[in-house]
Amino acid sequence: NNQTKLPQEEIPSGTQAVVFGLPVDSPSVLKWYSDSELMYNETLNQWESHKAVDIISQNAENMSVYSVLDGVVTNIEDSYEYGTVVTISHDNGFVSVYSSLDSELNVKMSESVKKGRKIGKVSDTASNEQKTGNHLHFELYKDGQKVDPANYLSLENK
């Protein structure tokens, strides 16, 4: 076996790669994350930054939204702008925020959830994105800073 060995990236002992699950089944991105270019918001008829991804499931039968990692539900709120919102805190400094959910949720405050656990269903409860229709407005934070979820989730349009 004389294949060239590629250098292995060294991973410090005691740490492992964080593998994210998908927040919806068969995701299709309606609007990507952008912190540098303004994106048009049809509902509000204005240009704005969009530090989230708006996602729908290509499987119209399955409107479920799932936790992307193991974590704890740290906030549940109803907001005029973002609709029903669930926030889950994870290890490694990650926090995931699921907005525009149906008001009927499958989780409670302070509940521990596993990756892939159903937390609710997509809806159109976010008034600031009403014209988008039923979708998940998904935000991801790392160490308190908003980050592009596409850097962590497999969101290629299939």
Side-chain angles (χ1 to χ4, degrees):
N1 180 347
N2 46 1
Q3 290 178 328
T4 310
K5 286 245 193 256
L6 293 172
Q8 294 286 311
E9 185 180 324
E10 284 195 36
I11 298 172
S13 61
T15 67
Q16 59 189 51
V18 179
V19 180
F20 288 76
L22 290 172
V24 298
D25 184 41
S26 304
S28 180
V29 175
L30 299 174
K31 192 185 254 188
W32 293 94
Y33 177 97
S34 177
D35 58 359
S36 55
E37 289 179 40
L38 295 180
M39 298 180 101
Y40 187 67
N41 180 322
E42 191 182 350
T43 305
L44 301 177
N45 191 24
Q46 69 185 24
W47 292 87
E48 60 190 13
S49 66
H50 190 253
K51 294 187 181 184
V53 286
D54 291 345
I55 311 170
I56 56 168
S57 172
Q58 295 178 59
N59 175 356
E61 307 295 300
N62 186 356
M63 303 291 273
S64 299
V65 174
Y66 308 101
S67 178
V68 295
L69 289 171
D70 294 357
V72 175
V73 177
T74 49
N75 196 31
I76 293 176
E77 66 180 305
D78 282 302
S79 132
Y80 177 74
E81 272 188 302
Y82 294 103
T84 302
V85 180
V86 171
T87 302
I88 300 177
S89 294
H90 313 282
D91 290 340
N92 303 315
F94 285 103
V95 174
S96 54
V97 182
Y98 309 77
S99 304
S100 196
L101 297 174
D102 186 87
S103 58
E104 203 172 293
L105 296 171
N106 297 76
V107 292
K108 298 185 291 296
M109 268 301 284
S110 305
E111 186 175 352
S112 288
V113 295
K114 289 281 181 208
K115 176 169 91 175
R117 164 78 192 278
K118 181 177 175 179
I119 57 177
K121 293 193 303 231
V122 296
S123 185
D124 63 354
T125 57
S127 66
N128 66 349
E129 293 183 338
Q130 203 86 51
K131 288 189 177 173
T132 306
N134 289 344
H135 73 288
L136 171 66
H137 181 85
F138 181 77
E139 297 173 31
L140 190 63
Y141 291 80
K142 171 78 169 117
D143 301 326
Q145 300 293 314
K146 275 191 189 180
V147 293
D148 185 349
N151 293 337
Y152 300 91
L153 307 179
S154 300
L155 295 176
E156 305 82 36
N157 283 333
K158 307 253 183 301

